[in-house]
């Protein structure tokens, strides 16, 4: 290589140094600018990861579990005794109470002949009948508003209750068609069966003549 050629090479190398230096300086500035930004991000991630988790509260019991664990507040109650049926009663009439002005006052008595308590509450159905016949003769007994029920009667086995039965003499009615009745037929309150008590009385076949008046059962 000649002296002129060596001189030319040095000049070219000298011209390239500033450009390389500038590129190196620019790279340093870029790294410096990126370094601080990356630091906080990494720190934030570390802080988030290292933060302790909050302990979760114990879950509340479900409605079903709470309901099943709660004590029952419903008191136990005994079964209500049934209404007295005629099949569980024996009937009788006590006419020793006397009478006045053509009336006879009697006690209609029913006794619980069953082995279980039953309930009497209200007026019985009463009518006059012939023996062996269920068809009433004339009008059935009228309820006496002056002798209402005083509440349910718990009739234990062997116990009795009574209602006042008033009979008006058939002879008090000139237009009465007399019929000989053999018995008094009684339906206990709300019962569908009846009991028959042998007791002869004179009835009126006229449906508009009311010979009988009945009060509610009393203890």
């Amino acid at each position: 290589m000649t002296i002129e050629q060596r001189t030319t090479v040095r000049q070219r190398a000298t011209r390239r140094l500033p450009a390389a230096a500038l590129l190196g300086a620019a790279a340093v500035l870029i790294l410096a600018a990126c370094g601080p930004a990356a630091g906080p991000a990494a720190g934030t991630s570390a802080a988030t990861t290292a933060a302790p988790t909050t302990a979760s509260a114990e879950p509340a019991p479900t409605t079903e579990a709470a309901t099943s664990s709660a004590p029952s507040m419903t008191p136990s109650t005994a079964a209500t005794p049934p209404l007295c049926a005629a099949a569980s009663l024996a009937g009788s009439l006590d006419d020793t109470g006397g009478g006045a002005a053509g009336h006879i006052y009697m006690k209609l008595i029913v006794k619980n002949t069953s082995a279980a308590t039953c309930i009497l509450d209200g007026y019985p159905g009463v009518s006059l009948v012939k023996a062996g016949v269920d068809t009433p003769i004339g009008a059935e007994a009228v309820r006496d508003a002056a002798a209402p029920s005083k509440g349910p009667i718990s009739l234990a086995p062997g116990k009795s209750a009574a209602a006042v039965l008033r009979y008006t003499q058939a002879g008090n009615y000139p237009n009465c068609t007399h019929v000989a009745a053999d018995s008094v037929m009684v339906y206990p309150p709300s019962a569908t069966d009846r009991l028959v008590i042998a007791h002869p009385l004179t009835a009126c076949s006229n449906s508009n003549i009311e010979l009988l008046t009945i009060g509610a059962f009393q203890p």
Side-chain angles (χ1 to χ4, degrees):
M1 180 180 294
T2 61
I3 295 174
E4 290 80 0
Q5 291 174 333
R6 293 177 180 172
T7 303
T8 302
V9 170
R10 290 192 188 99
Q11 290 176 350
R12 291 176 179 173
T14 303
R15 292 192 190 98
R16 291 172 180 169
L17 284 175
L22 290 175
L23 289 174
V28 171
L29 290 175
I30 291 172
L31 290 174
C34 292
T44 303
S45 175
T48 303
T49 304
T53 57
T54 304
S56 60
E58 184 179 351
T62 62
T63 303
E64 181 179 357
T67 303
S68 61
S69 62
S72 175
M73 301 301 291
T74 304
S76 58
T77 55
T80 303
L83 295 174
C84 296
S88 64
L89 302 173
S92 60
L93 284 169
D94 180 0
D95 58 1
T96 59
H103 301 292
I104 298 175
Y105 289 89
M106 297 175 278
K107 283 185 179 180
L108 170 59
I109 303 169
V110 292
K111 180 180 179 179
N112 185 358
T113 57
S114 73
T117 298
C118 62
I119 299 296
L120 275 179
D121 187 11
Y123 297 86
V126 181
S127 56
L128 300 177
V129 295
K130 280 188 170 293
V133 179
D134 290 341
T135 304
I137 302 172
E140 298 181 1
V142 177
R143 293 180 175 182
D144 186 359
S149 172
K150 295 180 181 179
I153 301 170
S154 184
L155 204 62
K159 297 300 181 180
S160 300
V164 175
L165 176 64
R166 186 184 69 191
Y167 167 73
T168 302
Q169 296 283 1
N172 291 351
Y173 298 91
N175 60 334
C176 169
T177 301
H178 292 190
V179 177
D182 302 302
S183 306
V184 175
M185 185 169 66
V186 179
Y187 280 88
S190 302
T192 57
D193 58 345
R194 83 283 183 278
L195 53 90
V196 177
I197 304 170
H199 196 93
L201 291 169
T202 301
C204 292
S205 62
N206 313 57
S207 60
N208 62 326
I209 297 178
E210 298 169 341
L211 299 181
L212 303 176
T213 304
I214 187 69
F217 278 114
Q218 308 297 335

